[in-house]
Structure formats: structure tokens, C-alpha cells
Amino acid sequence: MQKIYFPGELIKHKNELQSGIGTYIKDDKIYASMQGSLTINEQLISIFPSHQQDPELKIGSIIIGSVNSIREDRVFVRILKINGVKVNNYIEGVLRKQNIRLHEIDLLEMNKCYLPGDIIKARMISYGDSLKLYLSTAEDELGVLFAKHQETQKLMIPLSWDEMLCVESGLKEKRKVAKPNFNQLV
Amino acid sequence: MQSALVYITLPGERIPLKSLVIGNTIKTNKQDVNITKSLEIETKHAGWFWIDKQKIAICHNPIYYTPEIEDYVIVQVTGKNSEYYFCDLGNGLIYNLNQMDFEGATKKNKPNIQIGQFIYARVIELNHYLKGKLSCINPQSKKEWTTGENLFRELIGGVIVDLPLNFVQSLLSSQTKPELFKEISKHSSFEVCVGKNGRIWIKGNDAVLIINLLKRCAPLQLEQQLNLINKFASQFQQ
């Protein structure tokens, strides 16, 4: 079995060797910065990671997430998929009140837009300053995809830009709904 | 069906939901009624079954107060923010009161209420996941908060007591006339404020005696209450 290196562990003294992916140089020595096994390729030392890395995040990528909690002026979202690729770690994003929709931002009521437990589709707009990313749903095709009715606890499907319909009981609730893609049905 | 149903229930009865739903949105009182997986309403208490355009509930003697919009309540301040007061309704819920929500208040001229004081306010908004909202603005009169004559204000002095909910709500309903307080006012003068969450505030020289009489009056009928007050007529100071 090959030896597994952990972040911060010393690999070798630098003797005309170059550092590749997953390593860094400090005081003429090469250290590892990722968890993985060693690969040497023509004087290039790199580390092959032992678990899957997250998909690449760029500004403007589409994100599917679930709502953790809400406040008066912002929504906290846990990110599940980036551009269709599943995410293995725990990443959070923040959706602010001015980014939810384009018109009538002052008259917005949070319990008529998003509630905890909803699954939403959003777009990333900036990396932010701390561990959280900033998201936005200010388009027709972004918003709530699936949700649970509060009283009957059953699945709801979209009815209009503003309302969702509970399938089994016929009751309605208000959310900010995403426009479904009609071209795929034909 | 437009009017309210009159129907007595026992705990554990099941009624299918589709025969009852009026319109497309319902709200059920979680203390009284469950909704099962097969979409039936299951009752939890014995009492009068109440169905309305706005909610489904059961009228019985509840322990905890469930708030509704346009209720007048007595709340206690438990915390302060730069923008809000955090007020305690008495049943485990904490509601927000905006610091500028007094008549004629500006940033430099607003009341300064300490933690632990009591306020008489009305309920504006309800929410399950966020805190609800209160307000001290009276839509029917325009008196400023500095005069102290507004209906919704801070309660200074006096004594506050917690009483059973059915007694306090029968004092406030429009069907019974306030004969109890009229009988007390023949013997002494006082100031009273009744909140729908089961709290009463009384100010005057005989406040402690009146509160002990009210505690004894709660389980009695109206005639017995008036007899009890007349027995103690000589004990009032004013």
C-alpha cells in the first residue's frame, strides 16, 4: 500500500524538484497541502487526492439548494448541486431580500416567498467576503421547484408565478415559483 | 357554507377534509386539531367545533393563549435591540414591537421603555417561523404618545395578575355587559385594563383587594359574583 500524506506533512527536501498540484514549498522543503497519495513525474511532485473534489464554481452558475432557515431580510440556503453536478461537502449561500425579485422590493413578505424545507433554483452572483456566497433569484426561471404544504405535509406543484397547488387535497399556498421548462415536455 | 357549524365533538373523532374546506386556504389550530396522512381532521378536545373562512378550531377551556390579528394584549418587555423591543406574550412566544410604532414618534422623540415594564398593544401580524409583530398606534384617535392619553401605552404603577382564559375572554365578549366592574365601581374608584392573553392590570388604592376578589370570582356565576362583592363592601377604603 502506498503511503497517504496529510496536509502539512513533509515530503522531501527540495533538490531541483518542482512542486505540482497539492504541494507547496517552504524553507527549501516540499510539504503536502491535500490528503492523498504521492505521484512523481519527471521531477514534478504532486499529490493525487483521495476523495472527490467539489465542482468548479464560477460567477453565473446555476445552483440547486434547500432552504435552511429564514429571517426578515435574508434566506440561508444549503447548496446541493452546482451546474448539475452533485456536491459532496457542506456549502452555504445567502439570498438577500433585494435579490429575490425585481419589482416591489419594499412590499415583500418573506413568508409568502420562501419557507424552510423548500427546494430552490438560484444563480450565484458573487463570492462574498466570509464563508457564504451570494445568490439571486431575480428571473422568471428561478425560484421554488418543490415544496411541502404546511398543514397536510404533502407535495406541491407550481400553479402560477405566485402560487403552488397541493396535489392530493387541492389547497393552495403562496411562494415565489420557478417557471417550468415547457420545451422538454414536447 | 357561510355560517359557522354548530357541532359538539369528543376527542378522537375523524372528519374527512374535503367535506369541510371553504375556499382554497385553511389554517388549523395545532392545539386542537390534527391532520392525518389520509387527509382527515382528528380532534383532540371535547368542545364546540368551530369552522370559519379563516380557521378551524375547537372552543374549549385552553391553557395557552393562541393569538389572532386585532387582539389587544398586555405584554412584558424582555429585551431590546437598536430597532425593536422583544415582548413576551405569556405562552412561550416572543413578538417584536418596533420602537417607532408610537403615535407621533420620531428618532429623537420616542419613548424609552426599560426591560421588565408592561405595555398594552395590539397584534398586527402572525408568523410561524419568524417573530410576529405588535403595534401601539391607535387607528381611531390621533393623540400623541407624550400626552399619556392614548389607548395603547406603557402601564405605569398598579398591579398585574394572571387569570384563567375563559374568565377573561368572557369579560371581553360583546354579549355580556360589564356588570362586574360596575358593581365594584359603586364602592371605590380604580383604573382597569384587560388583555386577551389572560392578564388584568388594576391601579388604585384598593388594587390588592380587587385582585383577590377577582381570583375568587373566576369559577362562579354572575349572581354569585355580585353577592361576593357586596359581602366585602365595608372593606373598601374609598
Side-chain angles (χ1 to χ4, degrees):
Chain A
M1 271 220 346
Q2 275 194 327
K3 175 173 176 174
I4 294 186
Y5 286 91
F6 288 96
E9 205 172 328
L10 173 67
I11 303 179
K12 258 189 189 188
H13 204 82
K14 180 186 176 188
N15 288 329
E16 300 168 356
L17 288 169
Q18 287 176 347
S19 73
I21 298 176
T23 59
Y24 64 97
I25 298 180
K26 187 178 173 187
D27 294 339
D28 284 342
K29 295 175 198 167
I30 300 184
Y31 293 87
S33 70
M34 272 203 287
Q35 175 190 345
S37 52
L38 191 66
T39 57
I40 303 181
N41 184 13
E42 293 179 359
Q43 301 205 340
L44 190 75
I45 292 189
S46 54
I47 293 227
F48 183 72
S50 60
H51 55 84
Q52 253 185 337
Q53 301 296 304
D54 286 330
E56 198 183 343
L57 248 189
K58 287 185 190 168
I59 292 185
S61 44
I62 300 274
I63 278 175
I64 294 185
S66 72
V67 176
N68 262 346
S69 63
I70 57 173
R71 292 218 187 123
E72 276 280 346
D73 55 347
R74 56 187 69 189
V75 177
F76 295 102
V77 175
R78 183 197 168 176
I79 295 176
L80 299 171
K81 273 193 175 186
I82 300 177
N83 278 331
V85 182
K86 186 179 162 195
V87 164
N88 290 316
N89 302 320
Y90 183 79
I91 311 181
E92 270 192 358
V94 170
L95 177 61
R96 288 174 298 178
K97 184 176 172 183
Q98 61 260 35
N99 293 125
I100 290 182
R101 62 185 191 196
L102 285 174
H103 65 285
E104 284 186 349
I105 298 176
D106 302 334
L107 306 178
L108 195 142
E109 293 187 36
M110 190 52 79
N111 59 336
K112 293 186 181 172
C113 290
Y114 297 114
L115 284 180
D118 295 350
I119 297 185
I120 69 172
K121 194 176 192 182
R123 185 187 294 267
M124 194 191 110
I125 51 174
S126 106
Y127 285 105
D129 45 3
S130 58
L131 291 168
K132 296 191 166 60
L133 312 164
Y134 284 124
L135 310 171
S136 146
T137 61
E139 288 170 37
D140 282 341
E141 284 157 3
L142 305 176
V144 176
L145 294 170
F146 305 108
K148 260 193 190 178
H149 194 272
Q150 278 188 63
E151 305 283 335
T152 60
Q153 307 289 326
K154 307 268 182 187
L155 181 69
M156 290 205 287
I157 56 174
L159 189 67
S160 71
W161 74 276
D162 209 18
E163 282 189 319
M164 298 194 95
L165 176 72
C166 172
V167 177
E168 295 193 18
S169 60
L171 301 168
K172 296 183 187 170
E173 267 195 2
K174 294 230 169 197
R175 299 280 202 276
K176 199 269 174 193
V177 185
K179 182 176 176 183
N181 195 352
F182 292 112
N183 293 334
Q184 279 182 354
L185 299 174
V186 173
Chain B
M1 290 185 258
Q2 295 271 322
S3 60
L5 274 182
V6 175
Y7 179 65
I8 299 183
T9 66
L10 295 174
E13 291 194 8
R14 295 197 166 200
I15 308 168
L17 191 63
K18 295 206 167 165
S19 61
L20 287 180
V21 169
I22 307 171
N24 284 320
T25 53
I26 51 158
K27 239 187 181 182
T28 58
N29 192 350
K30 301 275 183 199
Q31 267 190 71
D32 301 336
V33 148
N34 260 343
I35 295 191
T36 59
K37 276 189 182 174
S38 50
L39 292 185
E40 289 170 336
I41 288 187
E42 187 179 9
T43 59
K44 281 191 195 178
H45 293 281
W48 295 89
F49 188 78
W50 173 272
I51 183 165
D52 205 353
K53 272 190 187 175
Q54 283 146 4
K55 59 173 176 154
I56 295 177
I58 296 183
C59 299
H60 62 290
N61 295 339
I63 301 177
Y64 297 111
Y65 161 67
T66 47
E68 291 169 33
I69 299 184
E70 293 293 324
D71 273 356
Y72 300 166
V73 288
I74 298 181
V75 294
Q76 187 177 21
V77 178
T78 60
K80 238 171 150 180
N81 207 354
S82 59
E83 261 190 82
Y84 291 103
Y85 291 116
F86 299 119
C87 308
D88 172 28
L89 277 179
N91 56 351
L93 294 177
I94 295 190
Y95 276 28
N96 278 349
L97 171 63
N98 203 341
Q99 287 193 7
M100 306 269 280
D101 234 348
F102 293 83
E103 186 76 48
T106 59
K107 272 205 166 177
K108 299 192 177 174
N109 179 27
K110 59 178 181 182
N112 186 16
I113 304 182
Q114 306 295 323
I115 296 182
Q117 300 286 331
F118 287 90
I119 304 180
Y120 191 47
R122 77 187 167 107
V123 177
I124 284 189
E125 213 181 278
L126 299 173
N127 211 328
H128 184 57
Y129 292 103
L130 305 169
K131 296 180 184 165
K133 282 195 188 159
L134 305 170
S135 160
C136 276
I137 291 186
N138 195 359
Q140 285 158 5
S141 82
K142 290 266 180 179
K143 301 213 168 172
E144 312 246 322
W145 71 270
T146 45
T147 59
E149 289 174 16
N150 203 355
L151 179 61
F152 301 114
R153 64 186 196 276
E154 180 188 357
L155 303 172
I156 307 176
V159 192
I160 291 202
V161 70
D162 267 331
L163 290 177
L165 267 179
N166 51 344
F167 175 59
V168 176
Q169 285 175 356
S170 71
L171 284 179
L172 282 176
S173 67
S174 54
Q175 290 166 355
T176 67
K177 296 171 190 173
E179 294 186 358
L180 182 62
F181 286 117
K182 274 189 189 173
E183 186 71 28
I184 302 181
S185 67
K186 287 181 193 167
H187 304 291
S188 79
S189 67
F190 59 97
E191 199 180 337
V192 70
C193 173
V194 177
K196 200 154 186 211
N197 51 344
R199 290 181 178 164
I200 295 187
W201 173 81
I202 295 187
K203 183 173 181 178
N205 276 338
D206 289 321
V208 181
L209 178 60
I210 296 175
I211 277 180
N212 282 318
L213 283 176
L214 284 177
K215 274 190 192 174
R216 280 221 205 157
C217 281
L220 304 176
Q221 298 290 321
L222 185 63
E223 295 172 356
Q224 294 166 327
Q225 289 172 357
L226 301 178
N227 286 341
L228 184 68
I229 292 173
N230 282 329
K231 258 202 232 171
F232 286 89
S234 58
Q235 307 281 330
F236 288 99
Q237 289 173 11
Q238 278 182 335

